[in-house]
Amino acid sequence: LLSSRGPLPMEVFDTGIKVNLYGPIHVMRSVVPGMSASDPNEDGERGAIVNTASVAAYEGQVGQAGYSASKGGVVAMTLPIARELAAYGIRVNTIAPGLFLTPMMHQLPEKARASLGEQVPYPSRLGDPAEYAHLVTHIVKNQMLNGETIRMDGALRMAPR
């Protein structure tokens, strides 16, 4: 919120909100009309939506207020939207990943990636994108998962810094 350069520029905060919170809303409002008009399966389901939050929604670090707020918003909207779309047979869930080996993480030196992985209690490594995909597949297949945010973080709890 405050650095040696002065107060946080609102443009920086706004960009984070637009990408991380408005993004999922724009996607959902774009796909839901088609999903709701589709033929339901034998159980009445017309599909599932899986959004991405972050553990920062729960344990944001110093300097992450905007990021935490945006990801917290994704968590907060999951249940109300799941309840709204239940009438159409559409489920909505969110995954809150911890530290994963994403393209951004690949930009870090190997030593830094190893250090981050060691912060994860078990397994003490960065998450693999295939593990994330496996959870998405499970959520889509398991009809009782609706309105939930699932942490996927190896028991990681972020420190303030």
Side-chain angles (χ1 to χ4, degrees), residues 6-154:
L8 171 73
M10 282 309 295
E11 301 80 37
V12 173
F13 187 86
D14 290 345
T15 298
I17 297 296
K18 286 178 182 173
V19 170
N20 296 322
L21 184 57
Y22 287 14
I25 285 289
H26 285 304
V27 170
M28 287 188 287
R29 65 185 287 277
S30 296
V31 301
V32 163
M35 291 173 77
S36 66
S38 68
D39 292 329
N41 68 13
E42 60 278 356
D43 295 319
E45 184 172 316
R46 289 188 170 91
I49 295 169
V50 181
N51 288 314
T52 301
S54 167
V55 295
Y58 304 100
E59 296 108 30
Q61 295 185 298
V62 170
Q64 282 192 334
Y67 182 72
S68 292
S70 67
K71 294 301 189 172
V74 174
V75 170
M77 71 182 177
T78 300
L79 181 58
I81 293 174
R83 288 174 169 170
E84 178 181 345
L85 298 182
Y88 303 99
I90 300 169
R91 296 181 296 113
V92 179
N93 291 284
T94 296
I95 299 173
L99 300 172
F100 270 70
L101 191 55
T102 62
M104 187 171 71
M105 284 288 195
H106 278 291
Q107 294 175 6
L108 295 176
E110 175 57 37
K111 187 174 179 179
R113 289 194 308 262
S115 175
L116 288 169
E118 290 168 3
Q119 294 176 29
V120 180
Y122 187 81
S124 294
R125 60 175 173 76
L126 298 176
D128 186 301
E131 293 167 318
Y132 184 95
H134 180 74
L135 181 56
V136 171
T137 301
H138 180 78
I139 290 169
V140 169
K141 290 180 177 181
N142 188 332
Q143 279 191 313
M144 283 305 291
L145 286 175
N146 192 15
E148 292 298 328
T149 297
I150 302 169
R151 288 182 70 126
M152 186 173 197
D153 58 19

